[in-house]
């Protein structure tokens, strides 16, 4: 079973972690049905899902293959270091070392470098960089400076964590989301608007700087074309999924793939669960409802849409809607959501 997930940061990471937990029993069942799949044999290259604490201990390795296409529009350069918040959030979450309460950054983090920078009165104090996290950025920046691609660097960084999924940046070409703000003469980086300005004021528009000329990273289009199911994580529709779709070729690939494309709503009962998706949607003239977001993705792109039971009345012409609780309170809850998204995909296929 080949599953592709489009993911941003925290919402994307938690959903993917659930999917990884869900797919072990799924692949195990498939392996027991000779007409659908050959018997599972130990496969060193297979995802690590079967060794997850959440997965049943079957002793079989899964035949599921998860490819995550990560948003790099949030990327920013600070102190000369290239920082990829959404890729790192997926890496740390699936690697089991994320700061759970915060949703991003490392658990057991220290902030010595940050304190020293502040003592110099330097840098961007509004952007918190922990010491452990900085090691990732140092290495990424070094490797990029040596001429390696972001995909290559991401593969090298993730190798340490045995994620059980393949994490691909949406593009190797730099893309950065900026916002045009009323009363500001220059474009402001998305991170600065979100963190320093607290998502205020509402942007006039979002600009994915560099997206126009960006190419999908190696493997991205191939994974979408070969997928059995494509899932849109409950990520920010505008600055996470929307930015991935802004890379020329990716939207087209999603429309062209024979695989069903199923999205999970990040909007529950007319509000985002966390973050500033409501402000982003307002900025682009889309209502903050599960229904409006699905209609904005459109039936050409989206075949199925999983909404929360609070939004069970959602109807979108041309899109199969199913309702179930969508709060990812823990890995088990996220796994059940992911399993239902796959189930909806299977029904559509
Ligand atoms: P970010 O890059 O860290 O902002 O994360 P994403 O773009 O991947 O996801 C942000 C979105 O995740 C927000 O719009 C939230 O509403 C959504 N989200 C967070 N937690 C949950 C959850 O438990 N359930 C659902 N359905 N959406 C969630
Ligand atoms: N989010 C914050 O709200 N404040 C921060 O200082 C901050 C620092 C940071 C550093 C590394 C990293 O990987 C993520 C970080 N985030 C921080 C999260 C992230 O930048 C944003 O919340 C998301 O990208 C919003 O979509
Ligand atoms: Ca993000």
């Amino acid at each position: 079973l080949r599953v592709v997930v489009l993911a941003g940061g925290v919402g994307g990471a938690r959903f993917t972690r659930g999917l990884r937990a869900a797919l072990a029993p799924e692949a195990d069942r498939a392996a027991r049905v000779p007409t659908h799949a050959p018997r599972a044999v130990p496969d060193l290259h297979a995802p690590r899902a079967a060794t997850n604490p959440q997965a049943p201990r079957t002793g079989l390795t899964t035949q599921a293959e998860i490819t995550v296409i990560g948003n790099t529009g949030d990327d920013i350069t600070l102190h000369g270091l290239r920082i990829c918040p959404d890729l790192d959030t997926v890496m740390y979450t699936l690697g089991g070392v994320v700061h759970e309460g915060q949703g991003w950054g490392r658990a057991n983090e220290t902030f010595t470098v940050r304190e020293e920078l502040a003592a110099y009165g330097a840098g961007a104090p509004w952007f918190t960089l922990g010491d452990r996290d900085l090691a990732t950025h140092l290495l990424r920046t070094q490797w990029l400076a040596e001429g390696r691609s972001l995909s290559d660097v991401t593969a090298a960084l993730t190798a340490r964590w045995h994620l059980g999924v393949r994490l691909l940046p949406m593009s190797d070409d730099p893309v950065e989301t900026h916002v045009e703000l009323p009363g500001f003469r220059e474009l402001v980086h998305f991170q600065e608007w979100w963190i320093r300005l607290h998502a205020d004021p509402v942007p006039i528009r979002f600009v994915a700087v560099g997206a126009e000329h960006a190419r999908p990273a190696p493997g991205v289009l191939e994974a979408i074309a070969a997928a059995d199911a494509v899932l849109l994580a409950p990520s920010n529709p505008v600055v996470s999924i929307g930015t991935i779709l802004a890379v020329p070729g990716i939207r087209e690939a999603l429309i062209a793939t024979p695989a069903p494309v199923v999205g999970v709503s990040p909007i529950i009962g007319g509000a985002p669960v966390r973050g500033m998706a409501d402000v982003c949607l307002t900025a682009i003239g889309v209502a903050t409802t599960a229904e409006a977001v699905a209609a904005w993705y459109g039936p050409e792109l989206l075949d199925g849409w999983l909404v929360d039971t609070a939004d069970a009345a959602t109807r979108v012409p041309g899109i199969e809607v199913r309702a179930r609780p969508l709060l990812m309170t823990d890995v088990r809850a996220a796994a059940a959501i992911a399993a239902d998204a796959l189930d909806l995909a299977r029904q559509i296929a």
Side-chain angles (χ1 to χ4, degrees):
L1 187 74
R2 282 165 297 196
V3 184
V4 169
V5 185
L6 269 57
V10 181
R14 289 183 175 166
F15 177 76
T16 306
R17 184 171 56 179
L19 178 69
R20 184 182 64 178
L23 271 177
E26 147 80 24
D28 183 48
R29 262 201 313 279
R32 288 168 200 278
V33 183
T35 50
H36 284 163
R39 266 193 78 78
V41 289
D43 177 2
L44 293 176
H45 302 289
R48 210 185 47 154
T51 61
N52 265 340
Q54 274 76 29
R57 295 182 178 279
T58 58
L60 294 173
T61 49
T62 174
Q63 297 188 328
E65 190 181 291
I66 302 171
T67 301
V68 181
I69 300 173
N71 171 45
T72 56
D74 290 9
D75 296 7
I76 188 166
T77 301
L78 292 170
H79 308 292
L81 300 178
R82 192 64 178 159
I83 301 163
C84 301
D86 285 359
L87 293 182
D88 289 346
T89 298
V90 172
M91 179 169 80
Y92 296 153
T93 302
L94 273 76
V97 295
V98 76
H99 185 303
E100 281 293 344
Q102 197 169 243
W104 52 268
R106 293 285 301 271
N108 305 312
E109 187 58 285
T110 56
F111 298 95
T112 306
V113 174
R114 172 184 164 78
E115 284 160 26
E116 288 299 312
L117 287 169
Y120 281 110
W126 50 270
F127 199 80
T128 305
L129 289 171
D131 299 331
R132 291 182 193 282
D133 193 27
L134 274 164
T136 304
H137 312 319
L138 282 167
L139 212 46
R140 174 187 291 122
T141 305
Q142 179 195 330
W143 283 339
L144 288 172
E146 288 169 6
R148 297 170 70 169
S149 68
L150 183 60
S151 329
D152 184 29
V153 169
T154 303
L157 290 171
T158 53
R160 171 183 174 192
W161 302 107
H162 307 286
L163 302 185
V165 308
R166 188 162 59 123
L167 176 60
L168 302 178
M170 65 189 194
S171 177
D172 282 341
D173 303 315
V175 176
E176 277 190 9
T177 304
H178 286 64
V179 290
E180 184 182 333
L181 299 176
F184 288 64
R185 284 186 46 206
E186 297 188 344
L187 291 178
V188 173
H189 193 288
F190 164 74
Q191 295 287 354
E192 186 172 0
W193 170 71
W194 162 233
I195 299 169
R196 190 170 78 80
L197 302 176
H198 305 291
D200 180 39
V202 176
I204 295 162
R205 64 188 179 112
F206 290 90
V207 188
V209 179
E212 236 179 302
H213 304 292
R215 290 149 304 165
V220 166
L221 298 182
E222 294 82 349
I224 294 171
D228 296 304
V230 178
L231 305 178
L232 308 189
S235 287
N236 189 305
V238 183
V239 296
S240 291
I241 307 292
T243 307
I244 299 173
L245 297 176
V247 176
I250 295 188
R251 178 189 293 275
E252 293 77 0
L254 291 173
I255 292 170
T257 183
V261 178
V262 169
V264 179
S265 178
I267 306 300
I268 297 181
V273 178
R274 55 180 283 158
M276 45 22 226
D278 49 345
V279 187
C280 297
L281 287 165
T282 301
I284 65 163
V286 175
T288 304
T289 64
E291 191 163 281
V293 171
W296 178 69
Y297 283 135
E300 206 187 4
L301 181 83
L302 208 56
D303 301 303
W305 187 234
L306 211 52
V307 301
D308 190 84
T309 41
D311 304 305
T314 301
R315 299 283 180 277
V316 190
I319 299 174
E320 200 71 44
V321 178
R322 189 188 290 178
R324 59 124 41 241
L326 282 192
L327 273 185
M328 299 186 285
T329 43
D330 54 19
V331 178
R332 188 184 283 270
I337 293 168
D340 267 11
L342 279 178
D343 207 56
L344 180 55
R346 203 176 290 115
Q347 220 170 66
I348 291 165

